[in-house]
Amino acid sequence: MRCTIDYACGNAVECALGENQIGELCSLVLRSEGVQRDCFLSVTIVSDEEMRELNRKWRGNDRPTDVLSLECERPDDPSLADGEPCELGDIVLAPDYIARQANAFGTTPRNETTLLVVHGVLHLLGYDHLEEDEARKMEAREDELVALAIGSEALGNTTLTRHRDEVGV
């Protein structure tokens, strides 16, 4: 399995994780979820205002948020031909929002960004947290994957965080 990421970072926006670290996290999640098909996905880093506009357009919420995941295809889609890469979708991160949220949760922007990249990829793979049982399953998987990422030399020291509901920062 190969994961190809189209990474874009807006002007004057700095993310707590670099492009390579985000790529490593995405690949880690896909491998850990047993994805064998080559996948493409995009990761875009945006300002709070850009995130607000995207959140309004795609979710009907006129406010910024930490992460958006916009699913396209799933690796197990039967309409994909053998060997055809999967276009997973898009993950959008708002680092300024994430930094404020990290402070509210008592963690760091790096930790929160790690969790949110994992969270975003899991959404692209079909995980959700609309129902309580789905939320517990997704959070448990997030914890496992973030704990796995801690051992990755590329990610350095990262600690587990929880992400059920946004704190409205």
Side-chain angles (χ1 to χ4, degrees):
M1 184 275 307
R2 186 174 39 140
C3 177
T4 303
I5 297 177
D6 181 16
Y7 180 86
C9 186
N11 293 335
V13 179
E14 268 191 55
C15 189
L17 295 177
E19 179 178 357
N20 290 338
Q21 293 168 317
I22 289 172
E24 288 290 327
L25 274 172
C26 293
S27 293
L28 173 84
V29 173
L30 294 173
R31 279 192 314 273
S32 298
E33 286 295 299
V35 174
Q36 296 179 1
R37 182 181 298 275
D38 289 350
C39 294
F40 295 99
L41 68 114
S42 73
V43 176
T44 305
I45 312 301
V46 300
S47 69
D48 282 359
E49 182 57 30
E50 290 168 303
M51 181 61 93
R52 183 189 68 77
E53 291 172 19
L54 291 169
N55 199 20
R56 182 182 63 221
K57 177 180 179 179
W58 293 104
R59 295 180 60 217
N61 295 323
D62 192 14
R63 63 180 176 80
T65 189
D66 49 11
V67 63
L68 286 175
S69 297
L70 306 169
E71 183 182 329
C72 188
E73 297 175 325
R74 298 238 180 107
D76 60 355
D77 186 334
S79 69
L80 293 172
D82 285 344
E84 181 182 357
C86 170
E87 188 73 43
L88 275 177
D90 307 307
I91 297 172
V92 184
L93 299 165
D96 292 339
Y97 189 99
I98 292 168
R100 292 190 307 277
Q101 181 168 276
N103 186 56
F105 281 133
T107 185
T108 67
R110 178 186 179 89
N111 294 357
E112 196 68 12
T113 302
T114 298
L115 174 67
L116 292 169
V117 170
V118 169
H119 183 90
V121 176
L122 287 176
H123 269 308
L124 295 181
L125 293 174
Y127 284 79
D128 212 338
H129 49 82
L130 296 175
E131 302 293 328
E132 187 64 28
D133 61 328
E134 292 174 338
R136 279 194 301 275
K137 181 180 176 185
M138 186 171 185
E139 284 181 351
R141 191 59 178 143
E142 286 172 353
D143 283 351
E144 292 168 359
L145 293 168
V146 172
L148 188 57
I150 290 171
S152 170
E153 187 176 314
L155 297 173
N157 289 328
T158 305
T159 59
L160 287 176
T161 59
R162 301 295 290 176
H163 182 76
R164 178 172 304 254
D165 295 312
E166 295 178 54
V167 293
V169 294

